[in-house]
């Protein structure tokens, strides 16, 4: 086995993390990042086994986070249509107790949301102490689709990068750890996944003709993503670009990173003012 295989399977998550992290202030070079990264997890069965181990560990850590009631974790998932945001939620967090995890999907803002600033709806969905919140899309749509389709004035969009960095800094200074994953797939992989949605009747409901309009804007979305990664990967809330052409590899990497981040947070069960031996249950 090659040395890089051992990186993944020895669970040295920091080494793995360095492969996907966008350093604060560094250029993301998105177009040069391989959406496949066969070197990271060459073996599907081993990646799946690691995912299962990490999912269990995430559940145990979430239990401690919930009991501690002091801090929270916000996981942000971004990626173009079919990049696997839903599949990541299902694959990585399926071992967690539903009470401890909130998932919010951000679609087109409704009438009320449009009457507020773009961060209003987002702030309300941030996790309270003890919880993990997962964003399926997020405030980044306001510098992605909104930019690509010109849904807000360019000058307003330009100001948002700094506003987002300040917002996220505010959250992290108030007990929210933020982990951001960009699910990076190739244009060819998206074609295959869209085709599957047409071929499989059970997937028809997932097909949205509007996805083809967005696909036609592939290069514009890629440029908008690159700007996000370059400008909003910060010390307090860094971006990770996840090779996502293979679902099992994507899940194994994300689960490893989430587990690593939670282990670093090291949530503790609270000390009790009583001792078990003080009680006798009849
Ligand atoms: P998904 O494609 O994530 O499975 P939907 O089919 O509900 O879910 O699509 C959500 C759509 O909402 C996406 O096309 C996304 O670009 C759009 N969207 C999300 N946030 C915004 C926003 N702030 N402004 C405009 N469109 C948005």
């Amino acid at each position: 086995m090659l040395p890089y295989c051992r990186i993944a399977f020895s669970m040295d998550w920091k080494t793995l993390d360095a492969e996907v992290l966008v350093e604060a202030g560094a250029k993301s070079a998105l177009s040069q990042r391989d959406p496949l990264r066969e070197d990271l997890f060459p073996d599907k069965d081993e990646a799946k086994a690691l995912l299962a181990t990490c999912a269990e560990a995430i559940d145990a850590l979430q239990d401690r986070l919930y009991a501690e009631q002091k801090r929270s974790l916000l996981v942000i998932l971004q990626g173009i249509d079919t990049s696997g945001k839903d599949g990541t939620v299902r694959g990585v967090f399926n071992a967690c107790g539903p009470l401890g995890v909130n998932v919010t999907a951000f679609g087109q803002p409704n009438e009320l949301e449009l009457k507020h600033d773009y961060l209003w709806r987002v702030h309300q969905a941030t996790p309270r102490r003890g919880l993990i919140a997962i964003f399926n899309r997020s405030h980044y749509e306001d510098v992605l689709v909104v930019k690509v389709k010109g849904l807000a004035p360019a000058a307003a969009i330009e100001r948002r990068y700094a506003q987002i960095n300040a917002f996220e800094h505010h959250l992290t200074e108030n007990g929210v750890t933020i982990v951001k994953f960009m699910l990076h797939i190739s244009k060819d992989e998206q074609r295959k996944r869209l085709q599957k949605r047409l071929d499989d009747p059970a997937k028809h409901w997932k097909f949205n003709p509007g996805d083809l309009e967005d696909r036609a804007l592939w290069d514009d979305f890629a440029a908008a993503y690159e700007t996000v990664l370059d400008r909003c990967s910060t010390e307090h809330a860094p971006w990770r670009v996840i090779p996502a052409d293979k679902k099992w590899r994507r899940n194994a990497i994300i689960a490893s990173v989430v587990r690593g981040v939670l282990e670093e947070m090291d949530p503790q069960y609270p000390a009790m003012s009583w001792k078990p031996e003080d009680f006798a249950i009849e």
Side-chain angles (χ1 to χ4, degrees), residues 72-76 126-127 135 139-140 164-165 167-173 175-181 234-240 261 265:
S72 60
L73 180 69
L74 171 58
V75 178
I76 295 178
T126 55
F135 285 180
H139 44 294
Y140 283 100
I164 287 171
N165 288 342
F167 170 64
E168 291 179 352
H169 203 184
H170 164 83
L171 291 177
T172 57
E173 285 185 334
V176 184
T177 297
I178 302 176
V179 200
K180 304 186 293 199
F181 297 109
T234 55
E235 293 289 347
H236 53 273
W239 272 105
R240 280 136 174 133
V261 168
M265 288 173 74

PDB file of all heavy atoms in Angstrom, residues 72-76 126-127 135 139-140 164-165 167-173 175-181 234-240 261 265:
ATOM      1  N   SER A  72     -21.625  24.978  20.379  1.00  0.00           N
ATOM      2  CA  SER A  72     -22.356  24.307  19.302  1.00  0.00           C
ATOM      3  C   SER A  72     -21.484  24.219  18.059  1.00  0.00           C
ATOM      4  O   SER A  72     -20.427  24.856  17.983  1.00  0.00           O
ATOM      5  CB  SER A  72     -23.656  25.059  19.004  1.00  0.00           C
ATOM      6  OG  SER A  72     -23.362  26.376  18.609  1.00  0.00           O
ATOM      7  N   LEU A  73     -21.958  23.419  17.116  1.00  0.00           N
ATOM      8  CA  LEU A  73     -21.218  23.213  15.862  1.00  0.00           C
ATOM      9  C   LEU A  73     -22.133  23.528  14.689  1.00  0.00           C
ATOM     10  O   LEU A  73     -23.271  23.064  14.637  1.00  0.00           O
ATOM     11  CB  LEU A  73     -20.752  21.749  15.764  1.00  0.00           C
ATOM     12  CG  LEU A  73     -19.971  21.379  14.501  1.00  0.00           C
ATOM     13  CD1 LEU A  73     -18.594  22.042  14.481  1.00  0.00           C
ATOM     14  CD2 LEU A  73     -19.822  19.852  14.383  1.00  0.00           C
ATOM     15  N   LEU A  74     -21.615  24.314  13.761  1.00  0.00           N
ATOM     16  CA  LEU A  74     -22.356  24.635  12.538  1.00  0.00           C
ATOM     17  C   LEU A  74     -21.594  24.062  11.343  1.00  0.00           C
ATOM     18  O   LEU A  74     -20.427  24.407  11.125  1.00  0.00           O
ATOM     19  CB  LEU A  74     -22.493  26.158  12.396  1.00  0.00           C
ATOM     20  CG  LEU A  74     -23.049  26.679  11.063  1.00  0.00           C
ATOM     21  CD1 LEU A  74     -24.437  26.108  10.777  1.00  0.00           C
ATOM     22  CD2 LEU A  74     -23.105  28.213  11.073  1.00  0.00           C
ATOM     23  N   VAL A  75     -22.253  23.184  10.626  1.00  0.00           N
ATOM     24  CA  VAL A  75     -21.652  22.567   9.438  1.00  0.00           C
ATOM     25  C   VAL A  75     -22.333  23.163   8.201  1.00  0.00           C
ATOM     26  O   VAL A  75     -23.554  23.048   8.053  1.00  0.00           O
ATOM     27  CB  VAL A  75     -21.858  21.032   9.450  1.00  0.00           C
ATOM     28  CG1 VAL A  75     -21.268  20.398   8.193  1.00  0.00           C
ATOM     29  CG2 VAL A  75     -21.243  20.420  10.702  1.00  0.00           C
ATOM     30  N   ILE A  76     -21.564  23.807   7.361  1.00  0.00           N
ATOM     31  CA  ILE A  76     -22.126  24.443   6.157  1.00  0.00           C
ATOM     32  C   ILE A  76     -21.756  23.603   4.935  1.00  0.00           C
ATOM     33  O   ILE A  76     -20.569  23.314   4.701  1.00  0.00           O
ATOM     34  CB  ILE A  76     -21.593  25.885   6.013  1.00  0.00           C
ATOM     35  CG1 ILE A  76     -22.085  26.745   7.185  1.00  0.00           C
ATOM     36  CG2 ILE A  76     -22.029  26.495   4.664  1.00  0.00           C
ATOM     37  CD1 ILE A  76     -21.591  28.181   7.178  1.00  0.00           C
ATOM     38  N   THR A 126     -28.970  29.271  13.171  1.00  0.00           N
ATOM     39  CA  THR A 126     -27.688  28.873  13.771  1.00  0.00           C
ATOM     40  C   THR A 126     -27.963  28.035  15.029  1.00  0.00           C
ATOM     41  O   THR A 126     -29.018  28.184  15.659  1.00  0.00           O
ATOM     42  CB  THR A 126     -26.807  30.097  14.109  1.00  0.00           C
ATOM     43  OG1 THR A 126     -27.553  30.980  14.946  1.00  0.00           O
ATOM     44  CG2 THR A 126     -26.380  30.823  12.847  1.00  0.00           C
ATOM     45  N   PRO A 127     -27.036  27.164  15.377  1.00  0.00           N
ATOM     46  CA  PRO A 127     -27.328  26.202  16.459  1.00  0.00           C
ATOM     47  C   PRO A 127     -27.262  26.823  17.849  1.00  0.00           C
ATOM     48  O   PRO A 127     -26.350  27.582  18.155  1.00  0.00           O
ATOM     49  CB  PRO A 127     -26.215  25.160  16.296  1.00  0.00           C
ATOM     50  CG  PRO A 127     -25.096  25.905  15.642  1.00  0.00           C
ATOM     51  CD  PRO A 127     -25.719  26.943  14.761  1.00  0.00           C
ATOM     52  N   PHE A 135     -26.273  23.287   7.546  1.00  0.00           N
ATOM     53  CA  PHE A 135     -26.885  24.126   6.509  1.00  0.00           C
ATOM     54  C   PHE A 135     -26.701  23.436   5.163  1.00  0.00           C
ATOM     55  O   PHE A 135     -25.565  23.205   4.722  1.00  0.00           O
ATOM     56  CB  PHE A 135     -26.217  25.504   6.442  1.00  0.00           C
ATOM     57  CG  PHE A 135     -26.587  26.452   7.554  1.00  0.00           C
ATOM     58  CD1 PHE A 135     -26.039  27.737   7.584  1.00  0.00           C
ATOM     59  CD2 PHE A 135     -27.483  26.097   8.556  1.00  0.00           C
ATOM     60  CE1 PHE A 135     -26.368  28.632   8.592  1.00  0.00           C
ATOM     61  CE2 PHE A 135     -27.820  26.986   9.572  1.00  0.00           C
ATOM     62  CZ  PHE A 135     -27.248  28.263   9.588  1.00  0.00           C
ATOM     63  N   HIS A 139     -25.940  31.209   3.601  1.00  0.00           N
ATOM     64  CA  HIS A 139     -25.759  32.618   3.214  1.00  0.00           C
ATOM     65  C   HIS A 139     -24.803  32.762   2.032  1.00  0.00           C
ATOM     66  O   HIS A 139     -24.777  33.821   1.403  1.00  0.00           O
ATOM     67  CB  HIS A 139     -25.271  33.438   4.407  1.00  0.00           C
ATOM     68  CG  HIS A 139     -24.190  32.792   5.224  1.00  0.00           C
ATOM     69  ND1 HIS A 139     -24.389  31.640   5.954  1.00  0.00           N
ATOM     70  CD2 HIS A 139     -22.889  33.126   5.420  1.00  0.00           C
ATOM     71  CE1 HIS A 139     -23.271  31.313   6.572  1.00  0.00           C
ATOM     72  NE2 HIS A 139     -22.344  32.184   6.250  1.00  0.00           N
ATOM     73  N   TYR A 140     -24.038  31.718   1.737  1.00  0.00           N
ATOM     74  CA  TYR A 140     -23.132  31.827   0.577  1.00  0.00           C
ATOM     75  C   TYR A 140     -23.892  31.902  -0.740  1.00  0.00           C
ATOM     76  O   TYR A 140     -23.361  32.396  -1.734  1.00  0.00           O
ATOM     77  CB  TYR A 140     -22.103  30.691   0.593  1.00  0.00           C
ATOM     78  CG  TYR A 140     -21.030  30.979   1.606  1.00  0.00           C
ATOM     79  CD1 TYR A 140     -21.056  30.390   2.864  1.00  0.00           C
ATOM     80  CD2 TYR A 140     -20.022  31.907   1.339  1.00  0.00           C
ATOM     81  CE1 TYR A 140     -20.111  30.707   3.826  1.00  0.00           C
ATOM     82  CE2 TYR A 140     -19.071  32.236   2.293  1.00  0.00           C
ATOM     83  CZ  TYR A 140     -19.120  31.625   3.529  1.00  0.00           C
ATOM     84  OH  TYR A 140     -18.177  31.966   4.478  1.00  0.00           O
ATOM     85  N   ILE A 164     -20.002  38.680   5.595  1.00  0.00           N
ATOM     86  CA  ILE A 164     -20.081  37.251   5.948  1.00  0.00           C
ATOM     87  C   ILE A 164     -18.930  36.877   6.883  1.00  0.00           C
ATOM     88  O   ILE A 164     -19.126  36.182   7.881  1.00  0.00           O
ATOM     89  CB  ILE A 164     -20.078  36.391   4.662  1.00  0.00           C
ATOM     90  CG1 ILE A 164     -21.430  36.506   3.954  1.00  0.00           C
ATOM     91  CG2 ILE A 164     -19.756  34.934   4.984  1.00  0.00           C
ATOM     92  CD1 ILE A 164     -21.482  35.873   2.571  1.00  0.00           C
ATOM     93  N   ASN A 165     -17.742  37.362   6.579  1.00  0.00           N
ATOM     94  CA  ASN A 165     -16.607  37.048   7.452  1.00  0.00           C
ATOM     95  C   ASN A 165     -16.843  37.599   8.859  1.00  0.00           C
ATOM     96  O   ASN A 165     -16.552  36.930   9.861  1.00  0.00           O
ATOM     97  CB  ASN A 165     -15.311  37.632   6.876  1.00  0.00           C
ATOM     98  CG  ASN A 165     -14.849  36.875   5.635  1.00  0.00           C
ATOM     99  OD1 ASN A 165     -15.281  35.745   5.386  1.00  0.00           O
ATOM    100  ND2 ASN A 165     -13.983  37.493   4.848  1.00  0.00           N
ATOM    101  N   PHE A 167     -19.787  38.246  10.244  1.00  0.00           N
ATOM    102  CA  PHE A 167     -20.902  37.472  10.836  1.00  0.00           C
ATOM    103  C   PHE A 167     -20.383  36.152  11.407  1.00  0.00           C
ATOM    104  O   PHE A 167     -20.686  35.773  12.548  1.00  0.00           O
ATOM    105  CB  PHE A 167     -21.951  37.230   9.748  1.00  0.00           C
ATOM    106  CG  PHE A 167     -23.034  36.254  10.110  1.00  0.00           C
ATOM    107  CD1 PHE A 167     -23.926  36.512  11.149  1.00  0.00           C
ATOM    108  CD2 PHE A 167     -23.191  35.066   9.390  1.00  0.00           C
ATOM    109  CE1 PHE A 167     -24.943  35.608  11.459  1.00  0.00           C
ATOM    110  CE2 PHE A 167     -24.201  34.170   9.699  1.00  0.00           C
ATOM    111  CZ  PHE A 167     -25.073  34.439  10.743  1.00  0.00           C
ATOM    112  N   GLU A 168     -19.573  35.479  10.618  1.00  0.00           N
ATOM    113  CA  GLU A 168     -19.059  34.184  11.078  1.00  0.00           C
ATOM    114  C   GLU A 168     -18.103  34.372  12.257  1.00  0.00           C
ATOM    115  O   GLU A 168     -18.066  33.553  13.182  1.00  0.00           O
ATOM    116  CB  GLU A 168     -18.376  33.460   9.915  1.00  0.00           C
ATOM    117  CG  GLU A 168     -19.384  33.008   8.851  1.00  0.00           C
ATOM    118  CD  GLU A 168     -18.749  32.301   7.669  1.00  0.00           C
ATOM    119  OE1 GLU A 168     -17.504  32.279   7.578  1.00  0.00           O
ATOM    120  OE2 GLU A 168     -19.509  31.783   6.820  1.00  0.00           O
ATOM    121  N   HIS A 169     -17.342  35.467  12.222  1.00  0.00           N
ATOM    122  CA  HIS A 169     -16.444  35.746  13.345  1.00  0.00           C
ATOM    123  C   HIS A 169     -17.262  35.975  14.623  1.00  0.00           C
ATOM    124  O   HIS A 169     -16.927  35.468  15.689  1.00  0.00           O
ATOM    125  CB  HIS A 169     -15.579  36.972  13.034  1.00  0.00           C
ATOM    126  CG  HIS A 169     -14.308  37.003  13.822  1.00  0.00           C
ATOM    127  ND1 HIS A 169     -13.408  38.037  13.772  1.00  0.00           N
ATOM    128  CD2 HIS A 169     -13.789  36.115  14.708  1.00  0.00           C
ATOM    129  CE1 HIS A 169     -12.404  37.780  14.589  1.00  0.00           C
ATOM    130  NE2 HIS A 169     -12.597  36.623  15.165  1.00  0.00           N
ATOM    131  N   HIS A 170     -18.327  36.718  14.472  1.00  0.00           N
ATOM    132  CA  HIS A 170     -19.229  36.974  15.600  1.00  0.00           C
ATOM    133  C   HIS A 170     -19.743  35.642  16.183  1.00  0.00           C
ATOM    134  O   HIS A 170     -19.745  35.446  17.396  1.00  0.00           O
ATOM    135  CB  HIS A 170     -20.395  37.832  15.111  1.00  0.00           C
ATOM    136  CG  HIS A 170     -21.564  37.878  16.023  1.00  0.00           C
ATOM    137  ND1 HIS A 170     -21.638  38.721  17.112  1.00  0.00           N
ATOM    138  CD2 HIS A 170     -22.724  37.165  16.026  1.00  0.00           C
ATOM    139  CE1 HIS A 170     -22.793  38.526  17.741  1.00  0.00           C
ATOM    140  NE2 HIS A 170     -23.463  37.587  17.108  1.00  0.00           N
ATOM    141  N   LEU A 171     -20.141  34.742  15.304  1.00  0.00           N
ATOM    142  CA  LEU A 171     -20.652  33.446  15.786  1.00  0.00           C
ATOM    143  C   LEU A 171     -19.566  32.674  16.526  1.00  0.00           C
ATOM    144  O   LEU A 171     -19.805  32.137  17.614  1.00  0.00           O
ATOM    145  CB  LEU A 171     -21.177  32.613  14.615  1.00  0.00           C
ATOM    146  CG  LEU A 171     -22.454  33.108  13.913  1.00  0.00           C
ATOM    147  CD1 LEU A 171     -22.784  32.205  12.727  1.00  0.00           C
ATOM    148  CD2 LEU A 171     -23.634  33.150  14.876  1.00  0.00           C
ATOM    149  N   THR A 172     -18.378  32.624  15.936  1.00  0.00           N
ATOM    150  CA  THR A 172     -17.321  31.822  16.569  1.00  0.00           C
ATOM    151  C   THR A 172     -16.896  32.420  17.913  1.00  0.00           C
ATOM    152  O   THR A 172     -16.544  31.688  18.829  1.00  0.00           O
ATOM    153  CB  THR A 172     -16.083  31.665  15.655  1.00  0.00           C
ATOM    154  OG1 THR A 172     -15.588  32.944  15.299  1.00  0.00           O
ATOM    155  CG2 THR A 172     -16.419  30.887  14.407  1.00  0.00           C
ATOM    156  N   GLU A 173     -16.983  33.742  18.005  1.00  0.00           N
ATOM    157  CA  GLU A 173     -16.646  34.362  19.295  1.00  0.00           C
ATOM    158  C   GLU A 173     -17.740  34.142  20.338  1.00  0.00           C
ATOM    159  O   GLU A 173     -17.571  34.476  21.501  1.00  0.00           O
ATOM    160  CB  GLU A 173     -16.410  35.869  19.116  1.00  0.00           C
ATOM    161  CG  GLU A 173     -15.072  36.163  18.456  1.00  0.00           C
ATOM    162  CD  GLU A 173     -14.745  37.639  18.379  1.00  0.00           C
ATOM    163  OE1 GLU A 173     -15.680  38.463  18.374  1.00  0.00           O
ATOM    164  OE2 GLU A 173     -13.560  37.973  18.329  1.00  0.00           O
ATOM    165  N   GLY A 175     -19.290  31.046  20.749  1.00  0.00           N
ATOM    166  CA  GLY A 175     -19.465  29.630  21.081  1.00  0.00           C
ATOM    167  C   GLY A 175     -19.857  28.712  19.938  1.00  0.00           C
ATOM    168  O   GLY A 175     -20.147  27.542  20.163  1.00  0.00           O
ATOM    169  N   VAL A 176     -19.886  29.226  18.704  1.00  0.00           N
ATOM    170  CA  VAL A 176     -20.260  28.381  17.565  1.00  0.00           C
ATOM    171  C   VAL A 176     -18.995  28.042  16.766  1.00  0.00           C
ATOM    172  O   VAL A 176     -18.340  28.944  16.246  1.00  0.00           O
ATOM    173  CB  VAL A 176     -21.267  29.095  16.627  1.00  0.00           C
ATOM    174  CG1 VAL A 176     -21.723  28.158  15.507  1.00  0.00           C
ATOM    175  CG2 VAL A 176     -22.461  29.621  17.410  1.00  0.00           C
ATOM    176  N   THR A 177     -18.664  26.779  16.692  1.00  0.00           N
ATOM    177  CA  THR A 177     -17.561  26.355  15.815  1.00  0.00           C
ATOM    178  C   THR A 177     -18.147  26.140  14.420  1.00  0.00           C
ATOM    179  O   THR A 177     -19.193  25.502  14.270  1.00  0.00           O
ATOM    180  CB  THR A 177     -16.923  25.056  16.342  1.00  0.00           C
ATOM    181  OG1 THR A 177     -16.358  25.336  17.628  1.00  0.00           O
ATOM    182  CG2 THR A 177     -15.835  24.552  15.409  1.00  0.00           C
ATOM    183  N   ILE A 178     -17.472  26.684  13.404  1.00  0.00           N
ATOM    184  CA  ILE A 178     -18.008  26.613  12.036  1.00  0.00           C
ATOM    185  C   ILE A 178     -17.089  25.766  11.154  1.00  0.00           C
ATOM    186  O   ILE A 178     -15.873  25.973  11.133  1.00  0.00           O
ATOM    187  CB  ILE A 178     -18.138  28.027  11.425  1.00  0.00           C
ATOM    188  CG1 ILE A 178     -19.044  28.905  12.293  1.00  0.00           C
ATOM    189  CG2 ILE A 178     -18.681  27.948  10.000  1.00  0.00           C
ATOM    190  CD1 ILE A 178     -19.162  30.356  11.811  1.00  0.00           C
ATOM    191  N   VAL A 179     -17.685  24.812  10.456  1.00  0.00           N
ATOM    192  CA  VAL A 179     -16.943  23.978   9.501  1.00  0.00           C
ATOM    193  C   VAL A 179     -17.641  24.096   8.147  1.00  0.00           C
ATOM    194  O   VAL A 179     -18.837  23.822   8.049  1.00  0.00           O
ATOM    195  CB  VAL A 179     -16.954  22.486   9.913  1.00  0.00           C
ATOM    196  CG1 VAL A 179     -15.822  21.748   9.244  1.00  0.00           C
ATOM    197  CG2 VAL A 179     -16.856  22.329  11.404  1.00  0.00           C
ATOM    198  N   LYS A 180     -16.907  24.488   7.128  1.00  0.00           N
ATOM    199  CA  LYS A 180     -17.528  24.747   5.824  1.00  0.00           C
ATOM    200  C   LYS A 180     -16.959  23.790   4.769  1.00  0.00           C
ATOM    201  O   LYS A 180     -15.736  23.718   4.600  1.00  0.00           O
ATOM    202  CB  LYS A 180     -17.270  26.201   5.405  1.00  0.00           C
ATOM    203  CG  LYS A 180     -17.754  27.210   6.457  1.00  0.00           C
ATOM    204  CD  LYS A 180     -17.637  28.652   6.016  1.00  0.00           C
ATOM    205  CE  LYS A 180     -16.244  29.160   5.846  1.00  0.00           C
ATOM    206  NZ  LYS A 180     -16.150  30.640   5.859  1.00  0.00           N
ATOM    207  N   PHE A 181     -17.866  23.085   4.106  1.00  0.00           N
ATOM    208  CA  PHE A 181     -17.449  22.132   3.076  1.00  0.00           C
ATOM    209  C   PHE A 181     -18.008  22.544   1.719  1.00  0.00           C
ATOM    210  O   PHE A 181     -19.227  22.687   1.563  1.00  0.00           O
ATOM    211  CB  PHE A 181     -17.965  20.727   3.393  1.00  0.00           C
ATOM    212  CG  PHE A 181     -17.423  20.140   4.667  1.00  0.00           C
ATOM    213  CD1 PHE A 181     -18.240  19.992   5.785  1.00  0.00           C
ATOM    214  CD2 PHE A 181     -16.092  19.729   4.747  1.00  0.00           C
ATOM    215  CE1 PHE A 181     -17.741  19.436   6.962  1.00  0.00           C
ATOM    216  CE2 PHE A 181     -15.594  19.182   5.927  1.00  0.00           C
ATOM    217  CZ  PHE A 181     -16.422  19.040   7.034  1.00  0.00           C
ATOM    218  N   THR A 234     -11.271  31.796   6.388  1.00  0.00           N
ATOM    219  CA  THR A 234     -10.640  32.599   7.434  1.00  0.00           C
ATOM    220  C   THR A 234     -10.090  31.689   8.533  1.00  0.00           C
ATOM    221  O   THR A 234     -10.419  30.497   8.581  1.00  0.00           O
ATOM    222  CB  THR A 234     -11.691  33.551   8.049  1.00  0.00           C
ATOM    223  OG1 THR A 234     -12.810  32.762   8.492  1.00  0.00           O
ATOM    224  CG2 THR A 234     -12.163  34.574   7.031  1.00  0.00           C
ATOM    225  N   GLU A 235      -9.299  32.270   9.412  1.00  0.00           N
ATOM    226  CA  GLU A 235      -8.771  31.500  10.548  1.00  0.00           C
ATOM    227  C   GLU A 235      -9.921  30.938  11.383  1.00  0.00           C
ATOM    228  O   GLU A 235      -9.872  29.794  11.843  1.00  0.00           O
ATOM    229  CB  GLU A 235      -7.904  32.390  11.451  1.00  0.00           C
ATOM    230  CG  GLU A 235      -6.605  32.876  10.831  1.00  0.00           C
ATOM    231  CD  GLU A 235      -5.569  31.778  10.662  1.00  0.00           C
ATOM    232  OE1 GLU A 235      -5.750  30.690  11.235  1.00  0.00           O
ATOM    233  OE2 GLU A 235      -4.591  32.008   9.924  1.00  0.00           O
ATOM    234  N   HIS A 236     -10.946  31.765  11.563  1.00  0.00           N
ATOM    235  CA  HIS A 236     -12.047  31.338  12.445  1.00  0.00           C
ATOM    236  C   HIS A 236     -13.037  30.408  11.746  1.00  0.00           C
ATOM    237  O   HIS A 236     -13.729  29.641  12.415  1.00  0.00           O
ATOM    238  CB  HIS A 236     -12.768  32.555  13.052  1.00  0.00           C
ATOM    239  CG  HIS A 236     -13.232  33.554  12.045  1.00  0.00           C
ATOM    240  ND1 HIS A 236     -12.429  34.574  11.581  1.00  0.00           N
ATOM    241  CD2 HIS A 236     -14.400  33.684  11.397  1.00  0.00           C
ATOM    242  CE1 HIS A 236     -13.108  35.282  10.703  1.00  0.00           C
ATOM    243  NE2 HIS A 236     -14.303  34.767  10.564  1.00  0.00           N
ATOM    244  N   ALA A 237     -13.134  30.502  10.429  1.00  0.00           N
ATOM    245  CA  ALA A 237     -14.111  29.652   9.721  1.00  0.00           C
ATOM    246  C   ALA A 237     -13.561  29.272   8.345  1.00  0.00           C
ATOM    247  O   ALA A 237     -13.975  29.822   7.327  1.00  0.00           O
ATOM    248  CB  ALA A 237     -15.452  30.375   9.585  1.00  0.00           C
ATOM    249  N   PRO A 238     -12.629  28.320   8.315  1.00  0.00           N
ATOM    250  CA  PRO A 238     -12.000  27.964   7.039  1.00  0.00           C
ATOM    251  C   PRO A 238     -12.895  27.109   6.145  1.00  0.00           C
ATOM    252  O   PRO A 238     -13.774  26.407   6.630  1.00  0.00           O
ATOM    253  CB  PRO A 238     -10.769  27.158   7.478  1.00  0.00           C
ATOM    254  CG  PRO A 238     -11.120  26.604   8.807  1.00  0.00           C
ATOM    255  CD  PRO A 238     -12.076  27.567   9.448  1.00  0.00           C
ATOM    256  N   TRP A 239     -12.640  27.203   4.853  1.00  0.00           N
ATOM    257  CA  TRP A 239     -13.322  26.333   3.888  1.00  0.00           C
ATOM    258  C   TRP A 239     -12.506  25.069   3.656  1.00  0.00           C
ATOM    259  O   TRP A 239     -11.272  25.086   3.707  1.00  0.00           O
ATOM    260  CB  TRP A 239     -13.466  27.044   2.536  1.00  0.00           C
ATOM    261  CG  TRP A 239     -14.704  27.875   2.415  1.00  0.00           C
ATOM    262  CD1 TRP A 239     -14.779  29.241   2.472  1.00  0.00           C
ATOM    263  CD2 TRP A 239     -16.045  27.405   2.205  1.00  0.00           C
ATOM    264  NE1 TRP A 239     -16.095  29.640   2.324  1.00  0.00           N
ATOM    265  CE2 TRP A 239     -16.888  28.536   2.156  1.00  0.00           C
ATOM    266  CE3 TRP A 239     -16.618  26.133   2.064  1.00  0.00           C
ATOM    267  CZ2 TRP A 239     -18.272  28.434   1.962  1.00  0.00           C
ATOM    268  CZ3 TRP A 239     -17.991  26.036   1.879  1.00  0.00           C
ATOM    269  CH2 TRP A 239     -18.801  27.173   1.826  1.00  0.00           C
ATOM    270  N   ARG A 240     -13.217  23.995   3.362  1.00  0.00           N
ATOM    271  CA  ARG A 240     -12.581  22.766   2.904  1.00  0.00           C
ATOM    272  C   ARG A 240     -13.207  22.411   1.565  1.00  0.00           C
ATOM    273  O   ARG A 240     -14.439  22.437   1.446  1.00  0.00           O
ATOM    274  CB  ARG A 240     -12.792  21.625   3.898  1.00  0.00           C
ATOM    275  CG  ARG A 240     -11.819  21.704   5.080  1.00  0.00           C
ATOM    276  CD  ARG A 240     -12.486  21.462   6.382  1.00  0.00           C
ATOM    277  NE  ARG A 240     -11.493  21.411   7.449  1.00  0.00           N
ATOM    278  CZ  ARG A 240     -11.609  22.064   8.594  1.00  0.00           C
ATOM    279  NH1 ARG A 240     -12.649  22.835   8.839  1.00  0.00           N
ATOM    280  NH2 ARG A 240     -10.674  21.969   9.520  1.00  0.00           N
ATOM    281  N   VAL A 261     -12.807  17.724  14.285  1.00  0.00           N
ATOM    282  CA  VAL A 261     -13.145  19.043  14.837  1.00  0.00           C
ATOM    283  C   VAL A 261     -13.860  18.868  16.185  1.00  0.00           C
ATOM    284  O   VAL A 261     -13.558  19.567  17.159  1.00  0.00           O
ATOM    285  CB  VAL A 261     -14.019  19.838  13.836  1.00  0.00           C
ATOM    286  CG1 VAL A 261     -14.614  21.080  14.497  1.00  0.00           C
ATOM    287  CG2 VAL A 261     -13.193  20.226  12.612  1.00  0.00           C
ATOM    288  N   MET A 265     -12.797  20.066  19.925  1.00  0.00           N
ATOM    289  CA  MET A 265     -13.670  20.847  20.826  1.00  0.00           C
ATOM    290  C   MET A 265     -13.726  20.175  22.196  1.00  0.00           C
ATOM    291  O   MET A 265     -13.824  20.823  23.222  1.00  0.00           O
ATOM    292  CB  MET A 265     -15.091  20.940  20.243  1.00  0.00           C
ATOM    293  CG  MET A 265     -15.214  21.848  19.042  1.00  0.00           C
ATOM    294  SD  MET A 265     -16.856  21.754  18.271  1.00  0.00           S
ATOM    295  CE  MET A 265     -17.869  22.659  19.442  1.00  0.00           C
TER     296      MET A 265
END
